[in-house]
Amino acid sequence: MAGESITLSPGSPEPRGNSADFALIARDVSFYYGSFQALKNVSLDVPRNRITALIGPSGCGKTTFLRCFNRMNDLVDGARFEGTILFGGKNLYDKDVDVVALRKRIGMVFQRPNPFPMSIYDNIAYGPRIHGERDKSKLEHIVEQSLRRAALWEEVKDKLKSPGTQLSGGQQQRLCIARLLAVEPEVILMDEPCSALDPVATSRIEDLMLELRSDYTVVIVTHNMQQAQRASDYTGFFLAGELIEFQETTNLFVVPLKRETEDYISGRFG
């Protein structure tokens, strides 16, 4: 794990320490799709410059919770949020929050790679251009640096004008990560980023996540418990819309504090 360990209160999502140690602070988060309550009073603090994994069976609320961090759920008709999520001391759900600016600072990588139908270069330059960058030399620098950070530069540097959609699935996912890095986010959300990839591509994405945590906070939803064990520093286990347990990953998988967690990671259900 990078840096000092952050102390968490036993059996609780409440860390002890300075709030500056945490990129996101969620308190009593509930979420509804119409009359269905998908999240029930979830409180969880996301440590800065760490990888936090959210695990649990299908329909447990982990993806809904992830999408609360950049307000992607706002796009769902009939959805309703309750609670508080602090980012830089500001409640993300205050009425004066610029959601477009928020999604620049808290970016998202989706389950399936979704490169734009344009060249590799234009995929990366798209975001900076939208935010006003027009200088060609600066854009070239951003494209190269973003592709390098996403461990893709050496594979595509000679075909930047080729369509991004012609890359392999794993390359497309790294392209999407590079596209996100080009707008300089602070937090990277990943929703099952390896579910459509083969083992080799999955390993590359996991290695990339471990490299990125020195500069970014990463939150990943995964059904793959081995992936959570390999690639995360902290893990939260969700069940039926509730956060059951949140610990350092090693502790959660070796000495879970809750019976429900033990049952899930041992394969008794899920």
Side-chain angles (χ1 to χ4, degrees):
M1 183 184 302
E4 295 289 328
S5 176
I6 295 172
T7 303
L8 298 131
S9 305
S12 167
E14 302 295 334
R16 296 192 295 265
N18 194 312
S19 62
D21 292 333
F22 306 100
L24 294 155
I25 299 174
R27 286 290 175 274
D28 300 319
V29 170
S30 293
F31 196 86
Y32 299 82
Y33 295 107
S35 61
F36 173 71
Q37 186 171 5
L39 294 172
K40 303 170 184 175
N41 301 309
V42 174
S43 293
L44 185 153
D45 296 350
V46 177
R48 190 179 305 279
N49 294 114
R50 300 289 194 274
I51 301 171
T52 297
L54 307 179
I55 66 171
S58 297
C60 68
K62 58 188 184 295
T63 293
T64 294
F65 186 63
L66 184 80
R67 291 166 64 93
C68 287
F69 286 140
N70 68 344
R71 294 185 52 173
M72 287 296 290
N73 292 324
D74 289 10
L75 305 173
V76 180
D77 288 339
R80 178 164 56 92
F81 174 92
E82 294 178 357
T84 302
I85 298 179
L86 298 178
F87 176 56
K90 174 73 171 176
N91 182 6
L92 297 183
Y93 284 81
D94 282 349
K95 292 182 178 179
D96 63 345
V97 169
D98 182 334
V99 178
V100 173
L102 168 66
R103 292 178 186 149
K104 178 178 181 289
R105 298 177 67 191
I106 304 179
M108 193 162 195
V109 177
F110 296 92
Q111 188 169 4
R112 292 190 173 275
N114 59 341
F116 298 147
M118 54 182 67
S119 71
I120 294 168
Y121 180 97
D122 287 334
N123 261 274
I124 308 303
Y126 181 85
R129 284 171 174 155
I130 288 293
H131 292 285
E133 185 58 71
R134 293 291 181 268
D135 186 283
K136 184 178 179 181
S137 63
K138 288 183 180 179
L139 286 171
E140 289 176 350
H141 176 74
I142 290 169
V143 168
E144 178 175 345
Q145 289 305 111
S146 300
L147 288 167
R148 285 189 181 279
R149 282 184 163 182
L152 191 58
W153 174 252
E154 294 299 327
E155 297 169 48
V156 303
K157 62 182 180 181
D158 296 323
K159 50 182 178 182
L160 294 178
K161 297 304 180 184
S162 299
T165 52
Q166 290 184 0
L167 297 173
S168 70
Q171 289 175 322
Q172 286 186 29
Q173 194 65 297
R174 282 182 284 148
L175 177 64
C176 293
I177 293 171
R179 185 178 68 197
L180 186 158
L181 297 178
V183 297
E184 301 181 341
E186 297 168 48
V187 178
I188 300 173
L189 308 178
M190 295 185 165
D191 185 11
E192 295 275 6
C194 302
S195 64
L197 306 181
D198 62 42
V200 173
T202 293
S203 179
R204 288 185 175 178
I205 296 293
E206 290 176 2
D207 290 343
L208 175 57
M209 288 164 52
L210 293 168
E211 293 173 14
L212 290 174
R213 72 176 169 188
S214 61
D215 296 311
Y216 307 94
T217 299
V218 180
V219 188
I220 178 173
V221 162
T222 180
H223 276 97
N224 187 329
M225 285 185 282
Q226 289 73 35
Q227 181 172 75
Q229 289 178 279
R230 289 190 301 262
S232 72
D233 302 297
Y234 291 87
T235 297
F237 169 56
F238 281 74
L239 183 64
E242 298 183 25
L243 177 65
I244 303 300
E245 184 169 345
F246 182 57
Q247 287 205 70
E248 288 189 18
T249 296
T250 301
N251 292 340
L252 184 136
F253 281 97
V254 176
V255 283
L257 298 171
K258 300 296 180 70
R259 176 62 182 271
E260 298 97 322
T261 311
E262 183 177 0
D263 288 347
Y264 180 71
I265 64 177
S266 63
R268 293 192 182 97
F269 73 92

